Amino acid sequence: MTRQPRAVFLDRDGVLNRAIVREGKPYPPASLAELEIVEGAAEDLARLKQLGFLLLVVTNQPDVARGTQTRETVDSLHRVLQGALPIDEFLVCDHDDADACACRKPRPGLLFQANDRMGVDLHRSFLIGDRWRDIDAGRAAGVRPVLIDFGYRERGPSLPPDARVASLPEAIDWIVRQVAEEEDDASDPRR
């Protein structure tokens, strides 16, 4: 019997690339010139690929709906990220809150789309995000959320994350430890 694939869902801005922080709030890069991939991200993500995880970006890009960003620019940013990082797929919500869509985080629609298309085992999967919307979406989908806490000036998640860390490498270290513990538990004949 083949097991369903596990995934690590990744927010984009603030996780894979530096968010542009103004007055304590994070914003996406407006152009390729502003895109700065987090140092060491390719190597860090490769560790997750070696464990068999799908790496799926789930990102809100409401500036498209607001008319301050084009979908073409978003797509070009994703091509650069995909060329530099071992990402399997990008799932994008380009709606604003007023659109009341199912895919805009904190709703779990993007994660459910991945489940529908790729058969992801959500309960064995993780999400790494830097905002309350990410953590709430992860909780709603039944994955284990990890918060990279940059201390933004915004509300916190409705429920606490499974882990709170300061960087992408720390988030990945935590996930790797969880997987190792689960494998140890599974191989222990006393359990």
Side-chain angles (χ1 to χ4, degrees):
M1 183 171 100
T2 305
R3 289 185 95 172
Q4 290 177 282
R6 299 182 294 188
V8 174
F9 295 96
L10 301 145
D11 181 47
R12 190 188 84 178
D13 305 313
V15 174
L16 300 178
N17 58 271
R18 303 254 180 247
I20 310 298
V21 180
R22 293 189 295 264
E23 298 179 14
K25 294 190 177 192
Y27 296 91
S31 66
L32 287 173
E34 288 186 352
L35 180 66
E36 181 186 344
I37 297 173
V38 171
E39 186 177 339
E43 297 81 10
D44 292 328
L45 294 173
R47 294 173 57 206
L48 296 174
K49 291 300 289 179
Q50 289 170 351
L51 291 173
F53 282 101
L54 290 172
L55 300 182
L56 306 173
V57 175
V58 287
T59 181
N60 288 348
Q61 295 300 316
D63 289 345
V64 173
R66 296 171 187 159
T68 58
Q69 177 74 278
T70 66
R71 184 60 194 247
E72 292 76 23
T73 300
V74 170
D75 291 342
S76 68
L77 292 167
H78 291 171
R79 281 192 295 277
V80 170
L81 288 167
Q82 192 149 36
L85 303 173
I87 301 298
D88 292 297
E89 189 165 341
F90 288 82
L91 296 105
V92 180
C93 172
D94 54 12
H95 303 109
D96 201 352
D97 283 333
D99 295 325
C101 65
C103 56
R104 181 161 165 76
K105 296 178 289 182
R107 293 182 186 93
L110 292 177
L111 288 83
F112 290 153
Q113 284 178 29
N115 182 44
D116 291 345
R117 289 209 314 256
M118 293 169 246
V120 171
D121 183 342
L122 294 173
H123 298 291
R124 294 177 55 236
S125 296
F126 299 86
L127 179 143
I128 302 173
D130 66 330
R131 302 185 70 189
W132 70 272
R133 289 176 176 276
D134 305 318
I135 304 311
D136 285 4
R139 283 275 180 237
V143 304
R144 291 178 274 178
V146 180
L147 176 66
I148 300 175
D149 191 350
F150 292 115
Y152 297 138
R153 289 186 186 164
E154 63 180 12
R155 63 166 276 200
S158 299
L159 294 170
D162 282 24
R164 186 180 299 262
V165 298
S167 66
L168 180 61
E170 284 183 35
I172 291 171
D173 287 345
W174 185 85
I175 291 170
V176 169
R177 282 193 308 273
Q178 300 310 301
V179 171
E181 288 173 16
E182 290 167 11
E183 289 173 356
D184 286 348
D185 289 348
S187 66
D188 187 342
R190 296 172 291 169
R191 294 191 182 206

